[in-house]
Amino acid sequence: MVEWITSEAPVPYPTAVAEMEARVAAIQAGTASEAVWLLEHPALYTAGTSADPRDLRAPDRFPVFETRRGGQYTYHGPGQRVAYAMLDLNTRGRDVRAYVEHLEAWVIATLAEFNLTAEVRPGRVGVWVPRPEKPPLPDGSPREDKIAAIGVRIRKWITFHGVAINVEPDLSHFDGIVPCGIEGHGVTSLVDLGLPVTMADLDVALKRSFADVFGG
């Protein structure tokens, strides 16, 4: 069984990483079950293993943490639901690409519960929402906004890190970075899209769709 953990107060990033690493070690040792941890962070930026320093536009705005998850720069902060998944791929299948696709499907299925159509794009990390009501990009391509980020790390086939879904964060905080190194497209949230979803609403949908995608 997967244990669901919810933190009500914002969790400092170093604390979260230490807790995840401890849980991963315990899962590997057979002394703890798999877990999904739902939380928020104080406002901060994280730099993944592919981060380009030029994409950090405001290095003094918020604390910046280097992390060994995949990906580039990401913002975390209040109003964003972070779901850290610590799952055992030894039993779920040792396939990193399939795991990432499952994370994407989990986010898309969760957002679909609020009648929001979200999609993935080849070569673009994360989950995106088409914005046909906005002007196209200079090259004529349709405008799309990012609503969720994905970053994973795997140790001995135990996963950690996970997904971050924008419920109602301060979207101006994303201006300090080039999110995931992708220029042109913007960032959105459920509330920005006119959906008055609470964090509790999202948590219910996350749990329900997790069972559908991952099988419990």
Side-chain angles (χ1 to χ4, degrees), residues 12-38:
Y13 191 76
T15 301
V17 172
E19 292 287 341
M20 281 192 288
E21 290 184 340
R23 185 66 176 237
V24 166
I27 294 170
Q28 176 67 27
T31 58
S33 66
E34 297 176 308
V36 176
W37 185 10
L38 304 176

Short mmCIF file of all heavy atoms in Angstrom, two decimals, residues 12-38:
data_model
loop_
_atom_site.label_atom_id
_atom_site.label_comp_id
_atom_site.label_asym_id
_atom_site.label_seq_id
_atom_site.Cartn_x
_atom_site.Cartn_y
_atom_site.Cartn_z
N PRO A 12 10.52 23.52 4.31
CA PRO A 12 11.78 24.00 3.71
C PRO A 12 12.35 22.96 2.75
O PRO A 12 12.26 21.75 3.01
CB PRO A 12 12.68 24.23 4.91
CG PRO A 12 11.75 24.41 6.07
CD PRO A 12 10.57 23.53 5.78
N TYR A 13 12.93 23.44 1.65
CA TYR A 13 13.39 22.50 0.64
C TYR A 13 14.43 21.51 1.16
O TYR A 13 14.31 20.31 0.91
CB TYR A 13 13.92 23.26 -0.58
CG TYR A 13 14.16 22.36 -1.76
CD1 TYR A 13 13.09 21.89 -2.52
CD2 TYR A 13 15.43 21.94 -2.11
CE1 TYR A 13 13.29 21.04 -3.60
CE2 TYR A 13 15.64 21.09 -3.17
CZ TYR A 13 14.56 20.64 -3.92
OH TYR A 13 14.76 19.80 -4.98
N PRO A 14 15.46 21.96 1.91
CA PRO A 14 16.44 20.98 2.40
C PRO A 14 15.81 19.92 3.30
O PRO A 14 16.23 18.76 3.28
CB PRO A 14 17.45 21.85 3.17
CG PRO A 14 17.31 23.21 2.58
CD PRO A 14 15.85 23.33 2.25
N THR A 15 14.81 20.31 4.09
CA THR A 15 14.11 19.34 4.94
C THR A 15 13.41 18.29 4.09
O THR A 15 13.47 17.09 4.37
CB THR A 15 13.09 20.06 5.82
OG1 THR A 15 13.77 21.03 6.64
CG2 THR A 15 12.34 19.09 6.71
N ALA A 16 12.76 18.75 3.02
CA ALA A 16 12.04 17.82 2.15
C ALA A 16 12.99 16.83 1.50
O ALA A 16 12.70 15.63 1.42
CB ALA A 16 11.26 18.59 1.08
N VAL A 17 14.13 17.32 1.02
CA VAL A 17 15.10 16.43 0.37
C VAL A 17 15.61 15.39 1.36
O VAL A 17 15.71 14.19 1.04
CB VAL A 17 16.26 17.23 -0.25
CG1 VAL A 17 17.36 16.30 -0.75
CG2 VAL A 17 15.75 18.10 -1.39
N ALA A 18 15.94 15.83 2.57
CA ALA A 18 16.44 14.90 3.59
C ALA A 18 15.39 13.84 3.93
O ALA A 18 15.71 12.65 4.07
CB ALA A 18 16.86 15.66 4.84
N GLU A 19 14.13 14.26 4.05
CA GLU A 19 13.06 13.32 4.37
C GLU A 19 12.85 12.32 3.23
O GLU A 19 12.64 11.13 3.45
CB GLU A 19 11.77 14.08 4.65
CG GLU A 19 11.78 14.91 5.92
CD GLU A 19 11.71 14.05 7.17
OE1 GLU A 19 11.29 12.88 7.09
OE2 GLU A 19 12.08 14.55 8.25
N MET A 20 12.90 12.82 1.99
CA MET A 20 12.75 11.92 0.85
C MET A 20 13.88 10.89 0.80
O MET A 20 13.65 9.70 0.57
CB MET A 20 12.70 12.70 -0.46
CG MET A 20 11.38 13.35 -0.76
SD MET A 20 11.30 13.97 -2.46
CE MET A 20 12.42 15.38 -2.38
N GLU A 21 15.10 11.36 1.00
CA GLU A 21 16.24 10.44 0.94
C GLU A 21 16.14 9.38 2.03
O GLU A 21 16.45 8.20 1.79
CB GLU A 21 17.55 11.22 1.04
CG GLU A 21 17.83 12.06 -0.21
CD GLU A 21 19.17 12.76 -0.16
OE1 GLU A 21 19.72 12.93 0.97
OE2 GLU A 21 19.67 13.15 -1.23
N ALA A 22 15.69 9.77 3.20
CA ALA A 22 15.52 8.80 4.29
C ALA A 22 14.43 7.79 3.94
O ALA A 22 14.59 6.58 4.20
CB ALA A 22 15.18 9.53 5.59
N ARG A 23 13.36 8.25 3.33
CA ARG A 23 12.27 7.33 2.98
C ARG A 23 12.70 6.38 1.87
O ARG A 23 12.39 5.18 1.90
CB ARG A 23 11.04 8.12 2.54
CG ARG A 23 9.81 7.26 2.26
CD ARG A 23 9.31 6.59 3.56
NE ARG A 23 8.09 5.84 3.38
CZ ARG A 23 6.96 6.06 4.07
NH1 ARG A 23 6.90 7.03 4.97
NH2 ARG A 23 5.90 5.30 3.88
N VAL A 24 13.45 6.90 0.89
CA VAL A 24 13.95 6.04 -0.20
C VAL A 24 14.84 4.94 0.37
O VAL A 24 14.73 3.77 -0.02
CB VAL A 24 14.70 6.89 -1.24
CG1 VAL A 24 15.52 6.02 -2.17
CG2 VAL A 24 13.72 7.74 -2.04
N ALA A 25 15.72 5.30 1.31
CA ALA A 25 16.59 4.30 1.92
C ALA A 25 15.78 3.25 2.68
O ALA A 25 16.09 2.05 2.64
CB ALA A 25 17.59 4.98 2.86
N ALA A 26 14.72 3.70 3.35
CA ALA A 26 13.89 2.75 4.12
C ALA A 26 13.10 1.84 3.19
O ALA A 26 12.94 0.64 3.47
CB ALA A 26 12.94 3.52 5.03
N ILE A 27 12.63 2.37 2.06
CA ILE A 27 11.93 1.52 1.09
C ILE A 27 12.89 0.48 0.53
O ILE A 27 12.56 -0.71 0.42
CB ILE A 27 11.33 2.38 -0.04
CG1 ILE A 27 10.22 3.27 0.50
CG2 ILE A 27 10.78 1.48 -1.16
CD1 ILE A 27 9.73 4.32 -0.49
N GLN A 28 14.10 0.91 0.23
CA GLN A 28 15.11 0.00 -0.30
C GLN A 28 15.43 -1.10 0.72
O GLN A 28 15.62 -2.28 0.35
CB GLN A 28 16.39 0.78 -0.64
CG GLN A 28 17.56 -0.06 -1.11
CD GLN A 28 17.31 -0.72 -2.46
OE1 GLN A 28 16.53 -0.21 -3.25
NE2 GLN A 28 17.95 -1.85 -2.70
N ALA A 29 15.45 -0.73 1.99
CA ALA A 29 15.75 -1.69 3.06
C ALA A 29 14.56 -2.57 3.42
O ALA A 29 14.70 -3.52 4.20
CB ALA A 29 16.25 -0.95 4.29
N GLY A 30 13.40 -2.25 2.90
CA GLY A 30 12.21 -3.02 3.21
C GLY A 30 11.57 -2.68 4.53
O GLY A 30 10.74 -3.44 5.04
N THR A 31 11.90 -1.50 5.08
CA THR A 31 11.36 -1.12 6.38
C THR A 31 10.28 -0.05 6.29
O THR A 31 9.77 0.40 7.32
CB THR A 31 12.49 -0.62 7.30
OG1 THR A 31 13.14 0.50 6.68
CG2 THR A 31 13.51 -1.73 7.56
N ALA A 32 9.96 0.39 5.08
CA ALA A 32 8.91 1.39 4.91
C ALA A 32 8.19 1.11 3.60
O ALA A 32 8.74 0.53 2.67
CB ALA A 32 9.48 2.80 4.91
N SER A 33 6.94 1.55 3.55
CA SER A 33 6.15 1.39 2.34
C SER A 33 6.43 2.53 1.37
O SER A 33 7.05 3.53 1.71
CB SER A 33 4.66 1.38 2.70
OG SER A 33 4.27 2.65 3.20
N GLU A 34 5.93 2.37 0.16
CA GLU A 34 5.95 3.47 -0.79
C GLU A 34 5.12 4.63 -0.22
O GLU A 34 4.26 4.44 0.63
CB GLU A 34 5.35 3.05 -2.13
CG GLU A 34 6.11 1.94 -2.84
CD GLU A 34 5.40 1.52 -4.11
OE1 GLU A 34 4.18 1.22 -4.04
OE2 GLU A 34 6.06 1.49 -5.16
N ALA A 35 5.39 5.84 -0.72
CA ALA A 35 4.69 7.00 -0.18
C ALA A 35 4.53 8.08 -1.25
O ALA A 35 5.36 8.20 -2.16
CB ALA A 35 5.44 7.57 1.02
N VAL A 36 3.47 8.86 -1.10
CA VAL A 36 3.30 10.09 -1.86
C VAL A 36 3.13 11.20 -0.83
O VAL A 36 2.26 11.12 0.05
CB VAL A 36 2.09 10.04 -2.80
CG1 VAL A 36 1.90 11.40 -3.48
CG2 VAL A 36 2.25 8.94 -3.83
N TRP A 37 3.95 12.23 -0.93
CA TRP A 37 3.98 13.31 0.05
C TRP A 37 3.46 14.57 -0.62
O TRP A 37 4.04 15.06 -1.60
CB TRP A 37 5.41 13.50 0.54
CG TRP A 37 5.61 14.50 1.64
CD1 TRP A 37 4.65 15.12 2.38
CD2 TRP A 37 6.87 14.97 2.13
NE1 TRP A 37 5.24 15.96 3.31
CE2 TRP A 37 6.60 15.88 3.17
CE3 TRP A 37 8.20 14.70 1.78
CZ2 TRP A 37 7.61 16.55 3.86
CZ3 TRP A 37 9.21 15.35 2.47
CH2 TRP A 37 8.92 16.26 3.51
N LEU A 38 2.35 15.12 -0.10
CA LEU A 38 1.74 16.33 -0.62
C LEU A 38 2.13 17.50 0.27
O LEU A 38 1.93 17.46 1.49
CB LEU A 38 0.22 16.18 -0.65
CG LEU A 38 -0.32 14.98 -1.44
CD1 LEU A 38 -1.84 14.91 -1.31
CD2 LEU A 38 0.09 15.05 -2.91
#
